[in-house]
Amino acid sequence: MTRRYSFLQKILILFLCGVMIPMLIQNVVYYRQTEENIQKEMLEKIDEALDDKTEKITGELGGILSLAGSYYNNEMLYRYLDLEYGRDLEYLIQYQEELRRLFTESSIYLSQVKSAMAYTDNNTLFNSSYVRKITDPKDGTLGETLS
């Protein structure tokens, strides 16, 4: 049973099979490739941003740990903190001349350090901007109140 198609129907079938269907397939393939490329580029940008943040955080932590290590290994700081002062004036003079210089000269270049604090159990010291007295070393709060 062969059916005779009119010329217009034959042209329409030829147009659909020869032009529209290949164009549709091409657009689907192009869309998928474009979507994959965009996702790949976005993931690369995210990876680069995360790597940059990781390097920045590593640098900041390295600076902070270096500062903490310099305080930890500073014998002069330990000597001033462990010294038994006879009067508050003696401590105040040492603080003005030496302790404040020890803390400010090393932390002035680190923007990520808001403040540095040394904790001691020396009862002849009083609290200052860089030194805090520990009232009870066993409570673990270092003399600070948690609120």
Side-chain angles (χ1 to χ4, degrees):
M1 176 160 133
T2 61
R3 185 174 159 184
R4 300 187 128 230
Y5 293 107
S6 70
F7 181 71
L8 185 60
Q9 290 174 336
K10 289 177 184 179
I11 296 275
L12 186 61
I13 291 172
L14 183 64
F15 177 73
L16 285 175
C17 292
V19 175
M20 291 306 288
I21 292 176
M23 189 186 297
L24 179 67
I25 292 171
Q26 179 184 6
N27 285 339
V28 167
V29 169
Y30 177 74
Y31 177 78
R32 286 190 180 179
Q33 287 178 346
T34 304
E35 188 177 29
E36 288 174 7
N37 288 339
I38 289 173
Q39 286 179 352
K40 196 182 297 182
E41 286 178 21
M42 287 177 63
L43 287 175
E44 287 174 3
K45 287 180 182 178
I46 289 171
D47 283 343
E48 288 176 16
L50 287 175
D51 289 342
D52 290 344
K53 293 290 183 185
T54 302
E55 289 175 14
K56 186 176 180 182
I57 289 172
T58 302
E60 303 260 335
L61 287 176
I64 291 170
L65 291 174
S66 172
L67 179 65
S70 70
Y71 288 151
Y72 183 75
N73 294 323
N74 192 332
E75 292 179 19
M76 187 181 295
L77 176 63
Y78 281 106
R79 187 176 47 151
Y80 288 130
L81 292 177
D82 290 339
L83 184 65
E84 296 289 328
Y85 296 97
R87 297 180 303 163
D88 288 343
L89 181 61
E90 291 175 18
Y91 168 66
L92 188 59
I93 291 170
Q94 285 289 14
Y95 179 80
Q96 290 291 340
E97 292 177 358
E98 300 295 331
L99 285 174
R100 190 165 41 148
R101 183 187 56 78
L102 282 172
F103 283 103
T104 56
E105 77 181 12
S106 58
S107 66
I108 197 167
Y109 301 108
L110 295 174
S111 61
Q112 65 269 25
V113 176
K114 183 177 175 183
S115 67
M117 191 86 48
Y119 293 94
T120 182
D121 58 354
N122 187 346
N123 289 328
T124 61
L125 301 179
F126 53 89
N127 290 336
S128 63
S129 59
Y130 295 111
V131 178
R132 290 279 188 262
K133 218 176 2 176
I134 299 174
T135 54
D136 184 15
K138 294 179 183 174
D139 70 355
T141 62
L142 298 174
E144 300 288 332
T145 57
L146 303 175
S147 51

